[in-house]
Every structure is written in C-alpha cells, then in structure tokens.
Amino acid sequence: MKKYYVHLLLTLFMTCLFSGRSLSQSNLPQDYLSKEFHAGRREALRKLMPANSATVLFAYPLEVFSKDINYAYHPSPDLYYFSGYKETSAVLVVFKEMQHDADGDYNELFFVQQRNPSEEQWTGRRLGIEGVKSQLGFKRVYNSNEFAKFPIDLKKFKLLHDIIPNKAGNMDGLYRAFTEKSGVNPVDEELLNDLVTINARVTPRNITVAIDRVIAPKLALEAYKNNSLIQDLYSHPDSTGLAAFKAGYQAQYGGISDFNLFTDELRGIKTKEELELLRKSIKLSGIAHAEVMRAIKPAMSESELEGVFAYVHKKYGAEDEGYPPIVGAGANGCILHYIENNVTTVNNQLVLMDVGAEYHGYSADITRTIPANGKFTEEQKVIYQLVYEAQEEVFKLCKEGVPFGDLNKKAQAVLAAGLIKLGIIKQIDELRAYYPHGCSHHLGLDVHDKGSYGPLMENMVITVEPGIYIPEGSPCDKKWWNIAVRIEDDVVIGKDKCTILSLDSPRKWDEIEKLISEKSFLDAVKLPGLDR
Ligand code: GLY
Ligand code: MN
Ligand code: MN
C-alpha cells in the first residue's frame, strides 16, 4: 500500500515535470504580463508596419559560462515584449496582412524550442508547441527545426528584423535559414541600419563599405556612383552627409531601419501593466539600497554589499539584477562600469553603488553614493551637494514636450558652474573629464531601454543620473582626488511633472547619514570563520 502510494506520487511528479507544469502552480508568481498584453503589442506593431511587410524576431542565443555549463538564460527583450516567450531557439514572424495556406488564415507564425524530456530533466522545463498555444495564446506554432523548410517565401515581404549578427551562437542555424529564405544578409543590414540611424559606430570607412556592399545592390543602380544621393555621401562622409543621405533615401526609397523606429515608439511608452512591474522593480531596489545603508560597515567588502542587495532583491521575488552590480569604494567609484567588486574592506571611503533588480523582466537602475563610516567629509559633501542640485534641476525638466537633449544640457550647466566655482575647472569644456556620461536613458526590459530621444512623452520611464568623478592625478587640488559621486533615480514622465519612483532610499546627504546610523537586520548575523 505504502509502496503503491510512493509510486503514485512519483508518477504524478514525473507527469507534472514533463508536461511543463509545477505541482503547486499557486506557489508561482501571479503578476506576469498577460498573454493579452503581448497580443496587444503585436497588434500595435502591425499598425505601424508598412503594407506587405513581415517582422522577424529571434530569441537570444545561449552563452557559455564554463565548458558544458551555460550562463543563466536571459530572454531577448523584443521577443519577450511581443510574445511573452522566455526561451532560446525560437523565431517569431509577424505579418502585416492575413496570409493563407491549406491550414487556413494566419498573421503570425511562431517557431519555438522543441520539447525534450531528457534535456528538460537537466536544463529545465520548456513550453513547447502546446504550452505556447495554451499559455501565450498563439495559434500557429511549430518546432524551430521546421523553420528552414517551412513553405513561406520571405523574399515577397518587406522585412523588419532584430538580428544581432555578432551574437549568433546557437541561433546561427536559424539566422542562416533566414538569410537563405529572405536574401537578407544580417551583417550588411546592420551596416545599413547603422548608416541610416546615424549610429555612433559609423566611420567614413564604414560608409564607403556600406555604399559598395549594401546600398548599391539594394538600390539596384547600375551606375550607382552617378546617383546624386550617393555622390553627395561620398563627398561628405560625415554626419552632415549622412543626414542629407538619410532624408533623401527615405524620400525616394522609403524607410530602411523601421524595426528600431517602431520598437522605440512602442517600447519607449510604457503601458499600465508595464508601469506596474517597473514600480515594483524600482521600489524593491530602493528598499535594498536603504537596507544596504543600514548594514554598511567599514570592515565590509564590496562583494558583501553586493550580496546584501541580492538577498533583498530575491526576498521580494526579483529574478535577477538588471545589469552587473557596480559597488565601488573610493577610487573604484571613478570607473563608470566597475564590476569587479573585489575590494575586501571598503574602509572609511565613499562607496558608489549602482545596483538595480530585474523583476519579471523589468529593470530598475538606482545609484546611491554613501560614506561607509556614516559621515561625509566636507569635500565629499560639497561634491555630493553639487550632484544633488544638478539632479533636482533636471527633475524640473522631466515633463511632456521637453526635448530629451535638454536634460543633459541642464545637468552639464549646473555641474560645470559648480566645478568652476570650486576652482576644479575653469570653463565648461573641461567638464567632460569629470562628467563623461549622459544624464538620462530609457528604462524597461533593457536597462538602457529602447525609446525615442525626441521630446519627452507621458509614460516614458527614464533615469536621471548626474555624476562627478575626480580620479587621482586630476589637475585640481588633491583634496578632491578619488571623490566619485553619482545619484541616479528613475522617473515616470507626466504631462506637467514627473514622478520619482525610487525614493525608498534617501537621496539627501543628512538622511543618508541618519539611515547609516540605524540598526540593520544583518547586525545579528554571525557566520563561522574559515580557519580549520
Ligand atoms: N547602470 C547603468 C547605467 O546607469 O546606465
Ligand atoms: Mn542608468
Ligand atoms: Mn545605473
């Protein structure tokens, strides 16, 4: 009897495991985006797509961590946004118009990772065709190994896609199938994309290569070198020439890089459901910053502080961090994306902590800079106050209609005026040495999210993150050396003002000092030593 019971339980367990379901569904988070949300986003995309076009979205590849162990998989934000699918080995095709075949009408095809019980026993559950149909609401779903042979002629469509050619990995086969089916060469497309979006990587040499390899065949111009658009570009291979080329090309031949334009437009404005998740992600990240303020001691290490963040994030149900945490004491704060976090004692230094959780895909991005011993020095306080004032001034601009570029201009103006007054620089063009990054970016499924950089619009979520970094050896009084301060908050843009979402940890220097003096839940924790 007992044996039978155990067998029954085991059978039940195996059935649940291989059907992709957990024994206790009620123990899973219930606040994921709904399949209706994702379907709605595909409809919105279709509305933007031109006639006779298809958007092709690929999963990110797996990445090797160590020999036969991969990094924890992070889904492609675009594929997730438009489908809810979180696995690799997948390609989604969204058509503008209804298509027809022997099985009926369809306007999207989804090729997903095949189920495989023996692999799932090792690497986790997969939704498979049936799961994608029932849980994500797709109707035409196939295994991804059917994509190459699937009878659809992509050459018939104007194609929009998100291939990142230098990130092929296990996606290489699907990329190649796509190239064969469509005639699109992703490497060339990316070049062209860079060109027309006036991407920073565009150099005069790239422009020439792009003209020869991509534009000429694309325009099917026999004597393309006589084409006035290209002639102009050849003679002005710089941003002026590019701007003229882009305008002329769009006028004559239509858009090239519409995928990024469309996804900027859609993903840049957050829906109600997305704002809900962003609020949670940012709130719990703010709480983590506050707990780290209570916990910090000069004897702690950078990675120990990182661990406190991770604990609080996970306690609130965040799956991950939105980017590798930056916890830099003293001079390390001057390294903008410092992620070694290996200093064993932070001592009496300032610690710059740029750490944000990822909750159901949505990332927070918060920086606080705090004194490990609980007291800012006079010099640290002066720099801190300057960064704080810059941030306050930028918040005032965060409302609908203000050009995105004005935010950084304001931050630069306030920071430069302050540094000039302190005698650290003499004129504004020296500011870049101490403030080498921008003030704001979109925030969402990517920490540096998609979104347009024109006028601010209601329900955009952006960061405001001025900073001052004064490395040792800088041409100013030594008393400023190794002071690095960034204050970063996340705001949602409203019609007349913004709402700051990251106020669960203080920004003001005196409130920070007060919180550091408070007790921490970690004070009681005593772990054994490693000595034998
Ligand atoms: N954490 C990266 C950034 O602030 O942009
Ligand atoms: Mn940021
Ligand atoms: Mn940040």
Side-chain angles (χ1 to χ4, degrees):
M1 178 67 188
K2 209 167 169 194
K3 202 170 162 199
Y4 168 77
Y5 190 62
V6 169
H7 182 76
L8 188 74
L9 268 181
L10 202 64
T11 311
L12 194 65
F13 175 73
M14 296 305 267
T15 313
C16 289
L17 186 71
F18 295 133
S19 68
R21 281 164 204 283
S22 140
L23 273 173
S24 51
Q25 290 280 310
S26 60
N27 282 355
L28 294 176
Q30 302 294 315
D31 57 344
Y32 292 118
L33 292 169
S34 64
K35 59 184 175 198
E36 290 76 22
F37 165 87
H38 300 291
R41 298 292 78 203
R42 294 196 294 283
E43 266 322 301
L45 175 64
R46 260 187 210 102
K47 284 210 175 85
L48 295 175
M49 286 163 57
N52 195 37
S53 65
T55 297
V56 189
L57 294 156
F58 292 84
Y60 275 176
L62 294 166
E63 292 197 42
V64 176
F65 174 79
S66 157
K67 204 158 56 84
D68 54 350
I69 306 288
N70 290 321
Y71 278 100
Y73 184 66
H74 191 278
S76 148
D78 275 323
L79 181 63
Y80 179 68
Y81 184 80
F82 290 110
S83 71
Y85 193 65
K86 293 190 274 195
E87 299 174 27
T88 188
S89 295
V91 51
L92 170 64
V93 188
V94 176
F95 298 92
K96 170 77 175 182
E97 294 91 3
M98 254 327 156
Q99 310 294 313
H100 318 277
D101 65 11
D103 294 331
D105 292 348
Y106 63 93
N107 63 1
E108 48 204 24
L109 298 170
F110 204 176
F111 300 85
V112 302
Q113 181 169 226
Q114 188 156 11
R115 295 214 55 194
N116 181 328
S118 62
E119 285 184 18
E120 287 179 57
Q121 185 177 21
W122 288 93
T123 56
R125 301 179 180 96
R126 300 175 181 180
L127 281 183
I129 292 174
E130 290 314 314
V132 168
K133 285 182 178 174
S134 63
Q135 295 187 36
L136 303 180
F138 285 86
K139 295 198 176 65
R140 290 291 202 102
V141 189
Y142 305 88
N143 285 324
S144 58
N145 58 11
E146 294 177 61
F147 176 63
K149 294 238 160 59
F150 195 88
I152 174 92
D153 181 7
L154 289 180
K155 293 195 179 83
K156 284 191 344 205
F157 298 91
K158 177 178 167 53
L159 291 175
L160 308 148
H161 68 85
D162 67 344
I163 285 186
I164 308 175
N166 59 7
K167 277 196 83 185
N170 67 307
M171 292 295 294
D172 191 50
L174 287 173
Y175 281 6
R176 270 190 281 120
F178 171 66
T179 299
E180 267 165 38
K181 291 171 99 64
S182 65
V184 169
N185 178 336
V187 177
D188 290 354
E189 283 286 305
E190 189 176 64
L191 211 54
L192 186 59
N193 185 40
D194 285 355
L195 196 68
V196 295
T197 51
I198 314 189
N199 187 294
R201 279 176 296 158
V202 169
T203 61
R205 188 185 161 275
N206 273 353
I207 292 173
T208 313
V209 172
I211 292 169
D212 289 341
R213 279 218 339 244
V214 192
I215 299 175
K218 195 162 189 101
L219 299 187
L221 297 172
E222 266 170 31
Y224 69 92
K225 285 190 179 166
N226 294 327
N227 177 289
S228 64
L229 273 179
I230 289 178
Q231 277 299 326
D232 285 353
L233 188 53
Y234 262 130
S235 44
H236 301 283
D238 53 23
S239 56
T240 320
L242 275 174
F245 170 79
K246 185 183 174 187
Y249 188 101
Q250 304 267 114
Q252 282 188 40
Y253 305 103
I256 306 167
S257 171
D258 293 340
F259 178 75
N260 284 326
L261 293 179
F262 296 161
T263 44
D264 280 351
E265 185 172 334
L266 296 173
R267 284 181 51 194
I269 310 284
K270 271 55 185 184
T271 65
K272 205 166 130 278
E273 298 95 317
E274 291 182 284
L275 286 174
E276 203 49 48
L277 291 179
L278 271 164
R279 274 198 194 95
K280 281 190 194 170
S281 181
I282 295 165
K283 185 170 182 72
L284 74 89
S285 300
I287 292 172
H289 273 273
E291 287 307 324
V292 168
M293 289 182 192
R294 289 193 177 94
I296 194 167
K297 301 270 181 299
M300 289 174 105
S301 69
E302 289 173 343
S303 72
E304 193 177 355
L305 292 168
E306 181 184 334
V308 181
F309 279 104
Y311 172 74
V312 180
H313 293 167
K314 303 259 177 195
K315 180 81 184 156
Y316 285 93
E319 290 86 352
D320 212 336
E321 264 91 40
Y323 50 95
I326 298 164
V327 181
N332 292 338
C334 295
I335 302 168
L336 300 177
H337 285 174
Y338 170 79
I339 56 170
E340 280 108 327
N341 304 351
N342 63 357
V343 158
T344 53
T345 49
V346 295
N347 296 332
N348 293 332
Q349 302 186 91
L350 267 191
V351 187
L352 188 155
M353 306 180 300
D354 183 344
V355 189
E358 183 180 302
Y359 185 83
H360 296 2
Y362 286 82
S363 181
D365 190 6
I366 302 177
T367 308
R368 292 290 182 263
T369 307
I370 67 174
N373 62 6
K375 286 275 169 231
F376 287 92
T377 65
E378 278 315 304
E379 286 77 23
Q380 289 168 352
K381 201 184 293 178
V382 165
I383 299 297
Y384 190 92
Q385 267 309 100
L386 177 55
V387 175
Y388 180 90
E389 277 157 30
Q391 205 196 20
E392 286 285 301
E393 289 305 310
V394 175
F395 286 146
K396 292 180 193 159
L397 294 180
C398 290
K399 56 186 177 192
E400 184 154 296
V402 173
F404 213 109
D406 284 9
L407 307 188
N408 199 37
K409 281 188 203 142
K410 174 59 80 180
Q412 287 170 332
V414 176
L415 295 173
L419 291 188
I420 290 170
K421 210 161 148 201
L422 294 170
I424 295 175
I425 61 172
K426 293 197 178 58
Q427 51 206 30
I428 191 163
D429 60 10
E430 293 167 46
L431 177 69
R432 203 159 171 75
Y434 300 111
Y435 173 52
H437 58 78
C439 181
S440 298
H441 56 79
H442 288 271
L443 184 65
L445 287 170
D446 287 295
V447 65
H448 296 160
D449 209 31
K450 288 194 166 179
S452 80
Y453 283 83
L456 291 173
M457 290 160 77
E458 193 177 15
N459 294 334
M460 283 181 167
V461 176
I462 65 168
T463 63
V464 178
E465 51 177 308
I468 291 287
Y469 316 87
I470 312 179
E472 192 169 332
S474 297
C476 62
D477 193 320
K478 278 185 179 162
K479 68 180 182 179
W480 304 114
W481 287 2
N482 288 333
I483 296 180
V485 175
R486 175 158 72 252
I487 314 176
E488 178 172 25
D489 282 274
D490 306 334
V491 308
V492 53
I493 302 296
K495 288 240 179 281
D496 313 306
K497 61 179 174 53
C498 69
T499 307
I500 307 173
L501 303 175
S502 41
L503 295 181
D504 286 86
S505 64
R507 301 168 45 245
K508 291 190 173 137
W509 71 266
D510 51 338
E511 292 176 9
I512 291 173
E513 287 191 351
K514 183 165 171 296
L515 203 57
I516 293 174
S517 73
E518 287 183 10
K519 287 197 166 40
S520 160
F521 74 94
L522 274 171
D523 292 345
V525 173
K526 282 239 174 320
L527 297 176
L530 296 178
D531 299 338
R532 276 190 278 176

